[in-house]
Amino acid sequence: MLGSRGLVGDKWSSRILWFCALGSAVGFYMVALERRAQNMERAMAEYSKELESGGQQSSGGDV
């Protein structure tokens, strides 16, 4: 009934494989973008803390 090829034929199995590969690539790309945004946000928060604390200390010491 199904033949020796199994549930799906060679043509469809390769299409499914490419679809899964592309889906994984898109997923990894989205995760990379999210992590980059989080890292940028964290770096900006640390930088602003350094400016606030460092700016107050250095202005009193420089003058």
Side-chain angles (χ1 to χ4, degrees), residues 1-57:
M1 189 171 189
L2 292 175
S4 62
R5 292 188 170 196
L7 232 52
V8 290
D10 292 335
K11 188 178 188 180
W12 281 105
S13 65
S14 67
R15 287 181 182 175
I16 292 170
L17 181 65
W18 276 109
F19 181 74
C20 290
L22 289 174
S24 296
V26 168
F28 283 132
Y29 179 72
M30 297 297 269
V31 168
L33 286 181
E34 180 65 27
R35 287 188 180 177
R36 190 171 80 176
Q38 288 175 354
N39 287 338
M40 182 67 85
E41 189 175 316
R42 188 177 303 128
M44 292 299 288
E46 290 176 4
Y47 181 70
S48 66
K49 284 180 185 177
E50 287 179 12
L51 282 180
E52 289 175 1
S53 65
Q56 291 171 357
Q57 291 172 356

